Amino acid sequence: MAVEGNSLEQSLLREYGNCHSIYHGKGALTLDDGKKYDCQFEAGQLNNGYVLLLCDFLPPFPTWTKIPAAKFEGTTSKGFGICSNIGINEVTYLPTISRDRSSGTWAAFHLDEMLVQMADCGQTQRLHFGVTNFEFLGTERTHRSDNSLFHTLPLDLRSESKSTKLSIRPVDLYDKIIKRIKTLKSIDVSCEVIADIPTDGNIALIREAVEDLCYILSVARGTKVQWVYCDQYDLTEKLVSRIHSSRITKRYCPLRIIDTMASGGGETKSFIEQAYSTYVDKRESYRLNNGTIDAYLDAKAEADYLEMRGIKLAVAMELLRSVFLELPDAPMKGYIIEEEKFKKLSPHLCAAIDEFLKTEIIDRDSRKAMCNDRKVLELNRRSFAHFLKKLCRHIDLRMGEDDIKLFVQCRNKLVHEGRFYCAIATPDEQNECKPLPSKWHEYCFLINFLDRVFLKLLGYSGPYIDWSVPNKPAHQEHVSV
């Protein structure tokens, strides 16, 4: 979207970062107590999805130190209506402006959501969602209005309850944007997901489908993919309105597990359409949109030291264990003996252990530390290895015994000592379970293990990229040993 000019003849939002949309004009900020203050404003959205509002207030000037804003309404220099009435929070004002060019009273706000109305709201036909950091290859040739060609990725998303047809198309300068994202490990809108509005006008269902799609795309590319704006077009393909939404985005990560180019983009299309139904079916029970996928993606991100990334991988598996144990049809429980029954046995076990330790001349404080309900109850918990085997069997993932044993050892060292198994394994541990040659090898092993778990969790068994050997991704035909 073209950047509008403002009275200050500069783009103040660029002090916060690169922007893909900027608007200027005059408006009014309404406080929680109903008072209104007029201002000149600049509003827009950064490439990372952050939505901001800058106000240069007009007389009479506000005198507050903290601004409890409830609503903003304004009109841009192009005559667009603009408003926000949820999640308006004051942030630091960064631009420097000479007082002879403004009122001298400024404030900046982060907005959860902002609506820009470009034209009268007639009958809308189509939605375009701006999506960050998704690299793809289109499988279908499409003509623009000027008769130029580009390639889209058409998708038919089916679940038990609904069927949704979407398409993904590149934004202008897509190739340049993707190169910059991959080189700088940055965030930017790379494509749009396009959907026709259903005859009943239920936009909420389309929005839900796009949010589900973003999680599936994130798994495919190994990096957080997110929509940050939604455009509405009318029957004549005229842009009617745009919703800018501040949503969680992450910097680009290159550890994709579905090949972008394979089969001319067909491998990506096949994965999405296969995984969609399973994702929708398991979304709530496995909290796929509420922590499990995000924790897994965050562990793959490159911002932290390798040990911390390894710990995050272990935590991602712990989250899976938590939701797995809560499943109504879970093939195992977290306890060996029924929990309430074992609680009744606990005092007797504490007393018996205490008596035994007395015979070994163990001091009272040590016995007290060992012989308590909390410690004894831990004896009744299933091992992590037991869970891992049950999970793999439940999702039909054939994982070798040696791989499971190694994953458990790696997880234990990372969770309890914060270091990789290969760095601190004792000689006895090395004899029992041979460590990998380096921390990087171990991290890649953990990545590949979780990649296969999440692929099978989404019901996918086809081709994928194996990252288990550092710097040597291999294209495998099946998600198996």
Side-chain angles (χ1 to χ4, degrees), residues 235-279:
L235 297 173
T236 65
E237 298 188 1
K238 179 181 179 181
L239 180 59
V240 174
S241 66
R242 168 175 282 192
I243 294 174
H244 294 276
S245 184
S246 285
R247 304 170 68 80
I248 295 173
T249 59
K250 297 285 185 177
R251 299 177 72 86
Y252 173 82
C253 173
L255 299 177
R256 64 192 184 281
I257 54 176
I258 302 299
D259 197 326
T260 307
M261 309 300 290
S263 303
E267 202 164 287
T268 295
K269 176 179 171 66
S270 177
F271 168 74
I272 295 168
E273 293 179 343
Q274 283 185 47
Y276 180 76
S277 178
T278 305
Y279 173 89

mmCIF file of all heavy atoms in Angstrom, residues 235-279:
data_model
loop_
_atom_site.group_PDB
_atom_site.id
_atom_site.type_symbol
_atom_site.label_atom_id
_atom_site.label_comp_id
_atom_site.label_asym_id
_atom_site.label_seq_id
_atom_site.Cartn_x
_atom_site.Cartn_y
_atom_site.Cartn_z
ATOM 1 N N LEU A 235 -17.342 -6.816 -5.321
ATOM 2 C CA LEU A 235 -17.578 -7.597 -6.536
ATOM 3 C C LEU A 235 -16.773 -7.094 -7.732
ATOM 4 O O LEU A 235 -16.524 -7.835 -8.678
ATOM 5 C CB LEU A 235 -19.072 -7.585 -6.872
ATOM 6 C CG LEU A 235 -19.993 -8.241 -5.825
ATOM 7 C CD1 LEU A 235 -21.451 -8.004 -6.199
ATOM 8 C CD2 LEU A 235 -19.708 -9.722 -5.696
ATOM 9 N N THR A 236 -16.371 -5.814 -7.690
ATOM 10 C CA THR A 236 -15.589 -5.245 -8.788
ATOM 11 C C THR A 236 -14.088 -5.324 -8.506
ATOM 12 O O THR A 236 -13.304 -4.680 -9.200
ATOM 13 C CB THR A 236 -15.988 -3.774 -9.034
ATOM 14 O OG1 THR A 236 -15.637 -2.997 -7.872
ATOM 15 C CG2 THR A 236 -17.479 -3.661 -9.295
ATOM 16 N N GLU A 237 -13.701 -6.082 -7.477
ATOM 17 C CA GLU A 237 -12.313 -6.242 -7.063
ATOM 18 C C GLU A 237 -11.710 -4.933 -6.551
ATOM 19 O O GLU A 237 -10.499 -4.702 -6.622
ATOM 20 C CB GLU A 237 -11.450 -6.823 -8.197
ATOM 21 C CG GLU A 237 -11.892 -8.213 -8.629
ATOM 22 C CD GLU A 237 -10.923 -8.861 -9.596
ATOM 23 O OE1 GLU A 237 -9.887 -8.237 -9.915
ATOM 24 O OE2 GLU A 237 -11.188 -9.995 -10.017
ATOM 25 N N LYS A 238 -12.558 -4.082 -5.986
ATOM 26 C CA LYS A 238 -12.109 -2.839 -5.366
ATOM 27 C C LYS A 238 -11.863 -3.079 -3.885
ATOM 28 O O LYS A 238 -12.681 -3.704 -3.205
ATOM 29 C CB LYS A 238 -13.168 -1.749 -5.551
ATOM 30 C CG LYS A 238 -12.807 -0.413 -4.924
ATOM 31 C CD LYS A 238 -13.929 0.591 -5.143
ATOM 32 C CE LYS A 238 -13.611 1.936 -4.513
ATOM 33 N NZ LYS A 238 -14.719 2.902 -4.700
ATOM 34 N N LEU A 239 -10.730 -2.576 -3.383
ATOM 35 C CA LEU A 239 -10.403 -2.732 -1.970
ATOM 36 C C LEU A 239 -11.337 -1.865 -1.134
ATOM 37 O O LEU A 239 -11.374 -0.638 -1.287
ATOM 38 C CB LEU A 239 -8.952 -2.337 -1.717
ATOM 39 C CG LEU A 239 -8.450 -2.435 -0.272
ATOM 40 C CD1 LEU A 239 -8.585 -3.860 0.262
ATOM 41 C CD2 LEU A 239 -6.999 -1.969 -0.179
ATOM 42 N N VAL A 240 -12.093 -2.505 -0.238
ATOM 43 C CA VAL A 240 -13.088 -1.811 0.573
ATOM 44 C C VAL A 240 -12.536 -1.463 1.951
ATOM 45 O O VAL A 240 -12.712 -0.350 2.448
ATOM 46 C CB VAL A 240 -14.357 -2.672 0.716
ATOM 47 C CG1 VAL A 240 -15.343 -2.015 1.677
ATOM 48 C CG2 VAL A 240 -15.000 -2.893 -0.643
ATOM 49 N N SER A 241 -11.859 -2.421 2.586
ATOM 50 C CA SER A 241 -11.356 -2.182 3.939
ATOM 51 C C SER A 241 -10.176 -3.095 4.230
ATOM 52 O O SER A 241 -9.965 -4.104 3.542
ATOM 53 C CB SER A 241 -12.459 -2.410 4.974
ATOM 54 O OG SER A 241 -12.835 -3.782 5.000
ATOM 55 N N ARG A 242 -9.435 -2.721 5.246
ATOM 56 C CA ARG A 242 -8.316 -3.542 5.700
ATOM 57 C C ARG A 242 -8.294 -3.559 7.221
ATOM 58 O O ARG A 242 -8.398 -2.517 7.874
ATOM 59 C CB ARG A 242 -6.991 -3.010 5.168
ATOM 60 C CG ARG A 242 -5.763 -3.640 5.832
ATOM 61 C CD ARG A 242 -4.453 -3.188 5.220
ATOM 62 N NE ARG A 242 -4.201 -3.893 3.967
ATOM 63 C CZ ARG A 242 -3.019 -3.864 3.331
ATOM 64 N NH1 ARG A 242 -2.012 -3.169 3.828
ATOM 65 N NH2 ARG A 242 -2.852 -4.523 2.209
ATOM 66 N N ILE A 243 -8.153 -4.756 7.787
ATOM 67 C CA ILE A 243 -7.949 -4.909 9.227
ATOM 68 C C ILE A 243 -6.473 -5.212 9.453
ATOM 69 O O ILE A 243 -5.944 -6.195 8.925
ATOM 70 C CB ILE A 243 -8.812 -6.048 9.805
ATOM 71 C CG1 ILE A 243 -10.293 -5.707 9.698
ATOM 72 C CG2 ILE A 243 -8.436 -6.312 11.269
ATOM 73 C CD1 ILE A 243 -11.208 -6.846 10.114
ATOM 74 N N HIS A 244 -5.802 -4.357 10.207
ATOM 75 C CA HIS A 244 -4.433 -4.620 10.629
ATOM 76 C C HIS A 244 -4.491 -5.251 12.012
ATOM 77 O O HIS A 244 -5.126 -4.709 12.916
ATOM 78 C CB HIS A 244 -3.631 -3.318 10.702
ATOM 79 C CG HIS A 244 -3.422 -2.653 9.386
ATOM 80 N ND1 HIS A 244 -2.409 -3.006 8.527
ATOM 81 C CD2 HIS A 244 -4.101 -1.644 8.774
ATOM 82 C CE1 HIS A 244 -2.465 -2.249 7.450
ATOM 83 N NE2 HIS A 244 -3.487 -1.421 7.564
ATOM 84 N N SER A 245 -3.830 -6.375 12.190
ATOM 85 C CA SER A 245 -3.896 -7.104 13.456
ATOM 86 C C SER A 245 -2.488 -7.363 13.996
ATOM 87 O O SER A 245 -1.641 -7.917 13.296
ATOM 88 C CB SER A 245 -4.631 -8.442 13.252
ATOM 89 O OG SER A 245 -4.786 -9.127 14.465
ATOM 90 N N SER A 246 -2.250 -6.922 15.224
ATOM 91 C CA SER A 246 -0.963 -7.205 15.877
ATOM 92 C C SER A 246 -0.982 -8.642 16.367
ATOM 93 O O SER A 246 -1.699 -8.980 17.310
ATOM 94 C CB SER A 246 -0.743 -6.259 17.064
ATOM 95 O OG SER A 246 -0.410 -4.974 16.641
ATOM 96 N N ARG A 247 -0.195 -9.485 15.745
ATOM 97 C CA ARG A 247 -0.199 -10.899 16.079
ATOM 98 C C ARG A 247 1.234 -11.357 16.312
ATOM 99 O O ARG A 247 2.195 -10.696 15.905
ATOM 100 C CB ARG A 247 -0.854 -11.703 14.946
ATOM 101 C CG ARG A 247 -2.263 -11.214 14.629
ATOM 102 C CD ARG A 247 -2.827 -11.820 13.369
ATOM 103 N NE ARG A 247 -3.076 -13.234 13.516
ATOM 104 C CZ ARG A 247 -4.144 -13.748 14.115
ATOM 105 N NH1 ARG A 247 -5.059 -12.962 14.634
ATOM 106 N NH2 ARG A 247 -4.306 -15.050 14.198
ATOM 107 N N ILE A 248 1.377 -12.492 16.966
ATOM 108 C CA ILE A 248 2.710 -12.993 17.288
ATOM 109 C C ILE A 248 3.414 -13.475 16.022
ATOM 110 O O ILE A 248 2.931 -14.375 15.329
ATOM 111 C CB ILE A 248 2.629 -14.143 18.312
ATOM 112 C CG1 ILE A 248 2.079 -13.625 19.640
ATOM 113 C CG2 ILE A 248 4.006 -14.759 18.531
ATOM 114 C CD1 ILE A 248 1.815 -14.716 20.654
ATOM 115 N N THR A 249 4.519 -12.850 15.716
ATOM 116 C CA THR A 249 5.353 -13.273 14.594
ATOM 117 C C THR A 249 6.737 -13.623 15.122
ATOM 118 O O THR A 249 7.104 -13.253 16.233
ATOM 119 C CB THR A 249 5.470 -12.167 13.531
ATOM 120 O OG1 THR A 249 6.037 -10.994 14.131
ATOM 121 C CG2 THR A 249 4.106 -11.824 12.941
ATOM 122 N N LYS A 250 7.511 -14.338 14.331
ATOM 123 C CA LYS A 250 8.873 -14.725 14.702
ATOM 124 C C LYS A 250 9.788 -14.539 13.501
ATOM 125 O O LYS A 250 9.360 -14.572 12.353
ATOM 126 C CB LYS A 250 8.915 -16.193 15.144
ATOM 127 C CG LYS A 250 8.094 -16.510 16.397
ATOM 128 C CD LYS A 250 8.761 -16.026 17.652
ATOM 129 C CE LYS A 250 7.970 -16.471 18.887
ATOM 130 N NZ LYS A 250 8.623 -16.068 20.140
ATOM 131 N N ARG A 251 11.062 -14.372 13.799
ATOM 132 C CA ARG A 251 12.042 -14.233 12.735
ATOM 133 C C ARG A 251 12.169 -15.537 11.957
ATOM 134 O O ARG A 251 11.938 -16.625 12.489
ATOM 135 C CB ARG A 251 13.398 -13.813 13.323
ATOM 136 C CG ARG A 251 13.342 -12.472 14.035
ATOM 137 C CD ARG A 251 14.678 -12.124 14.671
ATOM 138 N NE ARG A 251 15.664 -11.781 13.663
ATOM 139 C CZ ARG A 251 15.812 -10.567 13.150
ATOM 140 N NH1 ARG A 251 15.043 -9.572 13.551
ATOM 141 N NH2 ARG A 251 16.735 -10.321 12.236
ATOM 142 N N TYR A 252 12.545 -15.415 10.705
ATOM 143 C CA TYR A 252 12.651 -16.564 9.803
ATOM 144 C C TYR A 252 13.662 -17.592 10.317
ATOM 145 O O TYR A 252 14.740 -17.259 10.799
ATOM 146 C CB TYR A 252 13.069 -16.084 8.414
ATOM 147 C CG TYR A 252 13.368 -17.201 7.437
ATOM 148 C CD1 TYR A 252 12.345 -17.845 6.765
ATOM 149 C CD2 TYR A 252 14.686 -17.607 7.209
ATOM 150 C CE1 TYR A 252 12.616 -18.871 5.873
ATOM 151 C CE2 TYR A 252 14.968 -18.617 6.307
ATOM 152 C CZ TYR A 252 13.937 -19.249 5.647
ATOM 153 O OH TYR A 252 14.214 -20.268 4.767
ATOM 154 N N CYS A 253 13.299 -18.862 10.206
ATOM 155 C CA CYS A 253 14.183 -19.984 10.532
ATOM 156 C C CYS A 253 14.224 -20.909 9.308
ATOM 157 O O CYS A 253 13.184 -21.187 8.710
ATOM 158 C CB CYS A 253 13.665 -20.742 11.747
ATOM 159 S SG CYS A 253 14.569 -22.255 12.117
ATOM 160 N N PRO A 254 15.393 -21.392 8.915
ATOM 161 C CA PRO A 254 15.511 -22.148 7.662
ATOM 162 C C PRO A 254 15.242 -23.648 7.770
ATOM 163 O O PRO A 254 15.390 -24.362 6.781
ATOM 164 C CB PRO A 254 16.971 -21.906 7.268
ATOM 165 C CG PRO A 254 17.682 -21.779 8.574
ATOM 166 C CD PRO A 254 16.719 -21.097 9.503
ATOM 167 N N LEU A 255 14.847 -24.154 8.961
ATOM 168 C CA LEU A 255 14.752 -25.609 9.148
ATOM 169 C C LEU A 255 13.404 -26.161 8.682
ATOM 170 O O LEU A 255 12.644 -26.765 9.454
ATOM 171 C CB LEU A 255 14.995 -25.959 10.623
ATOM 172 C CG LEU A 255 16.374 -25.568 11.161
ATOM 173 C CD1 LEU A 255 16.494 -25.900 12.651
ATOM 174 C CD2 LEU A 255 17.477 -26.277 10.386
ATOM 175 N N ARG A 256 13.111 -26.004 7.410
ATOM 176 C CA ARG A 256 11.860 -26.516 6.848
ATOM 177 C C ARG A 256 11.890 -28.046 6.829
ATOM 178 O O ARG A 256 12.961 -28.652 6.744
ATOM 179 C CB ARG A 256 11.666 -25.985 5.427
ATOM 180 C CG ARG A 256 12.722 -26.473 4.449
ATOM 181 C CD ARG A 256 12.677 -25.703 3.141
ATOM 182 N NE ARG A 256 13.637 -26.240 2.181
ATOM 183 C CZ ARG A 256 14.940 -25.993 2.186
ATOM 184 N NH1 ARG A 256 15.455 -25.212 3.128
ATOM 185 N NH2 ARG A 256 15.738 -26.515 1.284
ATOM 186 N N ILE A 257 10.730 -28.674 6.889
ATOM 187 C CA ILE A 257 10.692 -30.142 6.804
ATOM 188 C C ILE A 257 9.886 -30.638 5.599
ATOM 189 O O ILE A 257 9.913 -31.821 5.294
ATOM 190 C CB ILE A 257 10.153 -30.788 8.104
ATOM 191 C CG1 ILE A 257 8.800 -30.206 8.492
ATOM 192 C CG2 ILE A 257 11.152 -30.651 9.219
ATOM 193 C CD1 ILE A 257 8.194 -30.888 9.703
ATOM 194 N N ILE A 258 9.186 -29.736 4.919
ATOM 195 C CA ILE A 258 8.550 -30.071 3.645
ATOM 196 C C ILE A 258 9.234 -29.232 2.581
ATOM 197 O O ILE A 258 9.276 -28.001 2.679
ATOM 198 C CB ILE A 258 7.035 -29.793 3.660
ATOM 199 C CG1 ILE A 258 6.356 -30.589 4.785
ATOM 200 C CG2 ILE A 258 6.418 -30.142 2.320
ATOM 201 C CD1 ILE A 258 6.486 -32.095 4.668
ATOM 202 N N ASP A 259 9.766 -29.885 1.565
ATOM 203 C CA ASP A 259 10.575 -29.214 0.553
ATOM 204 C C ASP A 259 9.745 -28.206 -0.254
ATOM 205 O O ASP A 259 8.689 -28.539 -0.789
ATOM 206 C CB ASP A 259 11.168 -30.260 -0.405
ATOM 207 C CG ASP A 259 12.321 -29.723 -1.230
ATOM 208 O OD1 ASP A 259 12.292 -28.538 -1.583
ATOM 209 O OD2 ASP A 259 13.239 -30.502 -1.516
ATOM 210 N N THR A 260 10.242 -26.972 -0.305
ATOM 211 C CA THR A 260 9.539 -25.898 -1.012
ATOM 212 C C THR A 260 9.380 -26.198 -2.494
ATOM 213 O O THR A 260 8.319 -25.963 -3.091
ATOM 214 C CB THR A 260 10.307 -24.571 -0.845
ATOM 215 O OG1 THR A 260 10.523 -24.329 0.546
ATOM 216 C CG2 THR A 260 9.535 -23.420 -1.458
ATOM 217 N N MET A 261 10.441 -26.719 -3.118
ATOM 218 C CA MET A 261 10.481 -26.856 -4.578
ATOM 219 C C MET A 261 10.058 -28.236 -5.075
ATOM 220 O O MET A 261 9.784 -28.405 -6.257
ATOM 221 C CB MET A 261 11.903 -26.570 -5.079
ATOM 222 C CG MET A 261 12.498 -25.260 -4.564
ATOM 223 S SD MET A 261 11.523 -23.813 -5.042
ATOM 224 C CE MET A 261 11.858 -23.785 -6.807
ATOM 225 N N ALA A 262 10.031 -29.233 -4.195
ATOM 226 C CA ALA A 262 9.791 -30.616 -4.623
ATOM 227 C C ALA A 262 8.461 -30.750 -5.362
ATOM 228 O O ALA A 262 7.447 -30.170 -4.971
ATOM 229 C CB ALA A 262 9.809 -31.550 -3.417
ATOM 230 N N SER A 263 8.510 -31.508 -6.452
ATOM 231 C CA SER A 263 7.330 -31.773 -7.288
ATOM 232 C C SER A 263 6.673 -30.485 -7.768
ATOM 233 O O SER A 263 5.439 -30.399 -7.890
ATOM 234 C CB SER A 263 6.309 -32.628 -6.516
ATOM 235 O OG SER A 263 6.884 -33.836 -6.079
ATOM 236 N N GLY A 264 7.496 -29.474 -8.019
ATOM 237 C CA GLY A 264 6.953 -28.210 -8.511
ATOM 238 C C GLY A 264 5.990 -27.561 -7.551
ATOM 239 O O GLY A 264 5.014 -26.920 -7.965
ATOM 240 N N GLY A 265 6.232 -27.699 -6.248
ATOM 241 C CA GLY A 265 5.329 -27.171 -5.232
ATOM 242 C C GLY A 265 4.254 -28.150 -4.826
ATOM 243 O O GLY A 265 3.518 -27.920 -3.862
ATOM 244 N N GLY A 266 4.161 -29.260 -5.525
ATOM 245 C CA GLY A 266 3.107 -30.242 -5.240
ATOM 246 C C GLY A 266 3.281 -30.929 -3.901
ATOM 247 O O GLY A 266 2.297 -31.349 -3.284
ATOM 248 N N GLU A 267 4.518 -31.069 -3.437
ATOM 249 C CA GLU A 267 4.752 -31.717 -2.148
ATOM 250 C C GLU A 267 4.173 -30.881 -1.005
ATOM 251 O O GLU A 267 3.585 -31.413 -0.061
ATOM 252 C CB GLU A 267 6.255 -31.928 -1.947
ATOM 253 C CG GLU A 267 6.582 -33.031 -0.956
ATOM 254 C CD GLU A 267 8.031 -33.470 -1.065
ATOM 255 O OE1 GLU A 267 8.381 -34.153 -2.043
ATOM 256 O OE2 GLU A 267 8.809 -33.107 -0.166
ATOM 257 N N THR A 268 4.326 -29.563 -1.118
ATOM 258 C CA THR A 268 3.750 -28.668 -0.113
ATOM 259 C C THR A 268 2.229 -28.741 -0.141
ATOM 260 O O THR A 268 1.574 -28.850 0.899
ATOM 261 C CB THR A 268 4.209 -27.211 -0.356
ATOM 262 O OG1 THR A 268 5.626 -27.123 -0.167
ATOM 263 C CG2 THR A 268 3.517 -26.250 0.588
ATOM 264 N N LYS A 269 1.656 -28.684 -1.326
ATOM 265 C CA LYS A 269 0.194 -28.766 -1.478
ATOM 266 C C LYS A 269 -0.338 -30.072 -0.893
ATOM 267 O O LYS A 269 -1.340 -30.087 -0.156
ATOM 268 C CB LYS A 269 -0.171 -28.651 -2.956
ATOM 269 C CG LYS A 269 -1.657 -28.816 -3.271
ATOM 270 C CD LYS A 269 -1.901 -28.665 -4.773
ATOM 271 C CE LYS A 269 -3.336 -29.042 -5.147
ATOM 272 N NZ LYS A 269 -4.322 -28.119 -4.569
ATOM 273 N N SER A 270 0.335 -31.171 -1.198
ATOM 274 C CA SER A 270 -0.099 -32.475 -0.702
ATOM 275 C C SER A 270 -0.046 -32.523 0.824
ATOM 276 O O SER A 270 -0.974 -33.019 1.475
ATOM 277 C CB SER A 270 0.785 -33.573 -1.299
ATOM 278 O OG SER A 270 0.430 -34.842 -0.779
ATOM 279 N N PHE A 271 1.041 -32.004 1.405
ATOM 280 C CA PHE A 271 1.160 -32.013 2.866
ATOM 281 C C PHE A 271 0.036 -31.205 3.511
ATOM 282 O O PHE A 271 -0.608 -31.661 4.465
ATOM 283 C CB PHE A 271 2.511 -31.451 3.296
ATOM 284 C CG PHE A 271 2.586 -31.169 4.770
ATOM 285 C CD1 PHE A 271 2.692 -32.210 5.673
ATOM 286 C CD2 PHE A 271 2.528 -29.866 5.257
ATOM 287 C CE1 PHE A 271 2.743 -31.959 7.042
ATOM 288 C CE2 PHE A 271 2.575 -29.605 6.614
ATOM 289 C CZ PHE A 271 2.680 -30.655 7.505
ATOM 290 N N ILE A 272 -0.203 -29.998 3.007
ATOM 291 C CA ILE A 272 -1.222 -29.134 3.607
ATOM 292 C C ILE A 272 -2.587 -29.801 3.567
ATOM 293 O O ILE A 272 -3.307 -29.845 4.578
ATOM 294 C CB ILE A 272 -1.261 -27.780 2.881
ATOM 295 C CG1 ILE A 272 0.050 -27.014 3.085
ATOM 296 C CG2 ILE A 272 -2.441 -26.940 3.376
ATOM 297 C CD1 ILE A 272 0.189 -25.811 2.169
ATOM 298 N N GLU A 273 -2.951 -30.320 2.408
ATOM 299 C CA GLU A 273 -4.287 -30.895 2.263
ATOM 300 C C GLU A 273 -4.437 -32.197 3.029
ATOM 301 O O GLU A 273 -5.528 -32.505 3.516
ATOM 302 C CB GLU A 273 -4.595 -31.083 0.775
ATOM 303 C CG GLU A 273 -4.730 -29.754 0.035
ATOM 304 C CD GLU A 273 -5.017 -29.895 -1.448
ATOM 305 O OE1 GLU A 273 -4.798 -31.001 -1.992
ATOM 306 O OE2 GLU A 273 -5.448 -28.903 -2.071
ATOM 307 N N GLN A 274 -3.351 -32.953 3.183
ATOM 308 C CA GLN A 274 -3.412 -34.173 3.999
ATOM 309 C C GLN A 274 -3.507 -33.839 5.482
ATOM 310 O O GLN A 274 -4.253 -34.477 6.231
ATOM 311 C CB GLN A 274 -2.165 -35.034 3.759
ATOM 312 C CG GLN A 274 -2.159 -35.813 2.459
ATOM 313 C CD GLN A 274 -0.957 -36.723 2.359
ATOM 314 O OE1 GLN A 274 -0.625 -37.441 3.301
ATOM 315 N NE2 GLN A 274 -0.286 -36.689 1.221
ATOM 316 N N ALA A 275 -2.730 -32.845 5.909
ATOM 317 C CA ALA A 275 -2.620 -32.555 7.340
ATOM 318 C C ALA A 275 -3.813 -31.784 7.884
ATOM 319 O O ALA A 275 -4.092 -31.853 9.088
ATOM 320 C CB ALA A 275 -1.333 -31.767 7.607
ATOM 321 N N TYR A 276 -4.532 -31.065 7.022
ATOM 322 C CA TYR A 276 -5.556 -30.146 7.507
ATOM 323 C C TYR A 276 -6.633 -30.845 8.339
ATOM 324 O O TYR A 276 -6.961 -30.407 9.448
ATOM 325 C CB TYR A 276 -6.201 -29.405 6.334
ATOM 326 C CG TYR A 276 -7.267 -28.426 6.775
ATOM 327 C CD1 TYR A 276 -6.933 -27.209 7.332
ATOM 328 C CD2 TYR A 276 -8.624 -28.748 6.633
ATOM 329 C CE1 TYR A 276 -7.912 -26.317 7.748
ATOM 330 C CE2 TYR A 276 -9.609 -27.859 7.041
ATOM 331 C CZ TYR A 276 -9.241 -26.645 7.594
ATOM 332 O OH TYR A 276 -10.219 -25.772 8.010
ATOM 333 N N SER A 277 -7.190 -31.907 7.824
ATOM 334 C CA SER A 277 -8.269 -32.594 8.535
ATOM 335 C C SER A 277 -7.804 -33.106 9.895
ATOM 336 O O SER A 277 -8.501 -32.956 10.906
ATOM 337 C CB SER A 277 -8.809 -33.749 7.686
ATOM 338 O OG SER A 277 -9.811 -34.451 8.378
ATOM 339 N N THR A 278 -6.617 -33.700 9.928
ATOM 340 C CA THR A 278 -6.085 -34.221 11.197
ATOM 341 C C THR A 278 -5.804 -33.081 12.157
ATOM 342 O O THR A 278 -6.064 -33.192 13.358
ATOM 343 C CB THR A 278 -4.803 -35.034 10.949
ATOM 344 O OG1 THR A 278 -5.075 -36.059 9.997
ATOM 345 C CG2 THR A 278 -4.300 -35.660 12.229
ATOM 346 N N TYR A 279 -5.257 -31.984 11.631
ATOM 347 C CA TYR A 279 -4.987 -30.826 12.493
ATOM 348 C C TYR A 279 -6.279 -30.336 13.156
ATOM 349 O O TYR A 279 -6.320 -30.106 14.374
ATOM 350 C CB TYR A 279 -4.354 -29.693 11.689
ATOM 351 C CG TYR A 279 -4.202 -28.419 12.496
ATOM 352 C CD1 TYR A 279 -3.057 -28.185 13.236
ATOM 353 C CD2 TYR A 279 -5.237 -27.473 12.541
ATOM 354 C CE1 TYR A 279 -2.929 -27.027 13.999
ATOM 355 C CE2 TYR A 279 -5.117 -26.324 13.308
ATOM 356 C CZ TYR A 279 -3.962 -26.106 14.031
ATOM 357 O OH TYR A 279 -3.860 -24.978 14.796
#
